[in-house]
Amino acid sequence: MQGFSFLNITGKGVGTVNEPAIRTEEQIISLFPDRETQVCRGWVLKRMEGQLLVYPLYYKFSEGDIPENIRRCEEIGRQCGAGCVFRIVEHTNYHLSSILTDNGYGLEKCGVVGEWNLTGDAGKLCMKRKMPEGLFLKNGNGGTEYVMAGETVIGIKRQGLLFLPDGNLSDIGLEDILRFAAANGIVRILADIPGREELPEQYGRLGFRRAYLYRCYQKNQEEKSSGKEE
């Protein structure tokens, strides 16, 4: 597998319906430069935590070719010992979810991505209170930094963007993260909140907006078992 540039795969004539969400997904993908990545006819494949996460962001083929591309992704997954998980953003790829279902996939989880942008009022509010203790930045690869709470990574920072890979925060308060962000040159935050279809109340109260919903599809257990038997 190899790295890629989005400019190499987005070519003219490739239409998407929810363009802002597609661009946001691109930004999220690019925050993991150290993970193995491949492009399969416009679909971005990224090895993440034992799974091959498939982002079907672009179409360069007809609907009739989709099952074949699914099989290509599955073969790549078998080669690297990882099962495929297809992450579909709302208002894109209208036919893909039903085609995945026909090919033995089921809904694994859904989630919502929230977005926060620093404004003058938000910055003043963040700086009014005492700066949070226990949060610090740690250098990463490819121009990224990690926001740490002790030994735990709670966020990935690149320039003025902070991404929270699990927005279901437990020990760290969201207000603390906003104050930390304002003090460290962060002007935009994206939070991936799995298991939700709407933005949690605390996010809305602090100025986040619901960017989009996504759904993840994974091969059903019965299909996995029959595949191994074959």
Side-chain angles (χ1 to χ4, degrees):
M1 292 191 179
Q2 58 187 8
F4 68 96
S5 166
F6 289 115
L7 295 176
N8 292 333
I9 64 177
T10 55
K12 294 182 179 179
V14 182
T16 55
V17 178
N18 194 351
E19 194 72 22
I22 295 296
R23 297 305 174 207
T24 300
E25 288 283 277
E26 289 178 351
Q27 289 182 304
I28 291 173
I29 295 168
S30 70
L31 292 172
F32 299 90
D34 56 333
R35 305 296 177 91
E36 291 179 306
T37 305
Q38 186 171 342
V39 178
C40 184
R41 300 189 70 188
W43 292 0
V44 181
L45 284 62
K46 206 163 187 73
R47 184 77 180 270
M48 301 283 282
E49 298 176 355
Q51 297 177 325
L52 187 64
L53 202 53
V54 181
Y55 296 84
L57 300 184
Y58 314 101
Y59 270 74
K60 292 193 175 183
F61 41 85
S62 66
E63 181 183 337
D65 293 328
I66 294 176
E68 178 59 31
N69 216 45
I70 292 173
R71 286 189 286 274
R72 286 193 183 99
C73 294
E74 290 174 342
E75 178 58 32
I76 293 170
R78 279 191 289 271
Q79 291 174 6
C80 64
C84 289
V85 176
F86 289 80
R87 175 170 164 135
I88 305 177
V89 172
E90 65 180 340
H91 307 313
T92 64
N93 300 314
Y94 290 108
H95 302 290
L96 182 54
S97 58
S98 61
I99 294 174
L100 284 169
T101 301
D102 292 341
N103 282 268
Y105 283 78
L107 181 64
E108 180 205 15
K109 68 176 181 179
C110 62
V112 65
V113 173
E115 181 179 8
W116 178 88
N117 290 282
L118 180 65
T119 63
D121 291 340
K124 292 176 183 177
L125 179 64
C126 291
M127 298 307 295
K128 276 183 179 179
R129 300 182 183 178
K130 182 181 177 182
M131 281 299 298
E133 297 179 358
L135 294 179
F136 61 94
L137 289 172
K138 179 180 178 181
N139 289 331
N141 298 321
T144 61
E145 296 177 282
Y146 299 108
V147 178
M148 308 292 297
E151 297 295 320
T152 304
V153 176
I154 64 167
I156 303 170
K157 176 182 180 292
R158 176 177 286 174
Q159 298 178 341
L161 172 65
L162 173 63
F163 174 58
L164 305 178
D166 186 353
N168 292 313
L169 303 168
S170 53
D171 298 331
I172 302 298
L174 189 56
E175 292 186 23
D176 288 341
I177 292 175
L178 295 187
R179 287 194 290 275
F180 182 85
N184 286 275
I186 294 166
V187 297
R188 184 178 181 224
I189 299 176
L190 296 172
D192 188 325
I193 311 168
R196 302 277 191 149
E197 294 193 19
E198 297 297 333
L199 206 60
E201 186 276 334
Q202 65 166 334
Y203 277 87
R205 178 170 48 82
L206 292 172
F208 280 78
R209 71 173 186 88
R210 180 187 184 276
Y212 55 88
L213 174 76
Y214 67 86
R215 295 181 175 89
C216 291
Y217 291 83
Q218 190 172 27
K219 203 85 166 181
N220 292 324
Q221 196 61 43
E222 296 81 1
E223 291 287 336
K224 291 180 183 178
S225 301
S226 61
K228 289 179 180 178
E229 290 173 2
E230 292 174 2

